[in-house]
Amino acid sequence: MSSQSQIASAKTRQRRTKPAEVRIDELMNAAQTLFLEKGVEATTISEIIASVGVAKGTFYHYFESKQHIIEALKKRYIDYFIEALDQAVAQCDPEDWVSQFKVWVSANIQTYLDSYPVHDIVFGVHHHERKNNEKNMVVEQLLGILTGGEQAGIWRLEQPHLTALLIYCGVHGVADEAIANQLKDISDFSEHIAQQYLNMLRAE
């Protein structure tokens, strides 16, 4: 091969080479799209790599299996969910614990409604995990609000962590109800749910 051919070949390889984080995102996005369209079981690794236009070796360079890419999608979903709640609550007055609680409930329901198809893919439609990082992180997030409100004298909690866990499970239950009933505008719905919980917390 001539020097010019070698240089041209090297340039071609360079153009095709992408940073690892870009290639990983491409593979994950392709997998998520196919999982949503066809289901996890019906989607093959060959279809994922064909969608991205890479060799099978590229897939296995970043992911050990289809289950491994599902785990990566799960982590990305958890990060997205937590960030959405953080951003919503951050808009509130840091000393207004009632508003923070209401916004947390509303953002939780809205984010879940916006993303439940992906949620069902990464966790399974009827998932039951005793060690669930998403649940633990969201419960801790809520626990911070409940603890702040208790310290401010707004409500009294005998078992803060258990209270946060019960609210978390209840919010996801009513969110599933909203999905089942194809509820589009959840503003009044979320406000009502939050107020019911505030009544239970004996908010002033």
Side-chain angles (χ1 to χ4, degrees):
M1 181 182 292
S2 67
S3 297
Q4 288 184 341
S5 297
Q6 289 176 337
I7 292 171
S9 178
K11 287 182 177 179
T12 300
R13 288 196 301 272
Q14 187 175 20
R15 285 197 300 269
R16 292 177 179 174
T17 301
K18 296 183 179 181
E21 60 273 16
V22 173
R23 189 63 82 192
I24 289 170
D25 276 345
E26 287 180 342
L27 289 166
M28 289 174 63
N29 292 339
Q32 180 171 299
T33 298
L34 287 165
F35 292 159
L36 288 169
E37 291 176 353
K38 302 181 60 177
V40 173
E41 294 300 324
T43 299
T44 65
I45 291 175
S46 294
E47 289 172 321
I48 295 172
I49 63 174
S51 178
V52 179
V54 297
K56 186 168 287 189
T58 301
F59 178 92
Y60 285 111
H61 179 71
Y62 298 112
F63 302 102
E64 297 175 2
S65 63
K66 187 164 67 173
Q67 184 58 41
H68 189 197
I69 203 168
I70 292 172
E71 291 301 318
L73 288 170
K74 180 187 293 187
K75 182 183 183 304
R76 186 169 75 174
Y77 179 84
I78 292 172
D79 291 343
Y80 151 79
F81 198 95
I82 295 295
E83 183 178 359
L85 301 192
D86 278 341
Q87 289 181 354
V89 173
Q91 302 302 311
C92 300
D93 183 328
E95 301 300 322
D96 189 345
W97 301 105
V98 171
S99 291
Q100 288 186 52
F101 180 81
K102 287 183 176 181
V103 167
W104 183 91
V105 170
S106 177
N108 206 308
I109 294 173
Q110 186 64 66
T111 304
Y112 186 52
L113 263 64
D114 290 342
S115 63
Y116 75 88
V118 177
H119 174 280
D120 289 351
I121 284 172
V122 299
F123 288 103
V125 178
H126 301 293
H127 76 286
H128 178 72
E129 299 180 33
R130 289 184 172 85
K131 188 176 181 181
N132 184 327
N133 288 334
E134 180 208 17
K135 178 182 71 177
N136 294 339
M137 292 172 69
V138 177
V139 168
E140 288 300 317
Q141 190 182 50
L142 174 58
L143 185 59
I145 296 173
L146 294 178
T147 301
E150 182 179 35
Q151 292 173 348
I154 298 174
W155 44 63
R156 295 176 57 189
L157 304 173
E158 293 185 3
Q159 298 188 52
H161 187 271
L162 180 58
T163 302
L165 184 59
L166 288 170
I167 293 173
Y168 166 86
C169 293
V171 166
H172 275 261
V174 297
D176 281 330
E177 183 74 9
I179 292 169
N181 292 328
Q182 299 183 333
L183 189 64
K184 301 300 182 183
D185 184 0
I186 59 97
S187 55
D188 290 341
F189 178 77
S190 297
E191 175 69 23
H192 178 72
I193 298 302
Q195 191 57 54
Q196 291 298 311
Y197 277 122
L198 287 171
N199 292 340
M200 293 168 61
L201 292 170
R202 299 178 181 176
E204 297 179 350

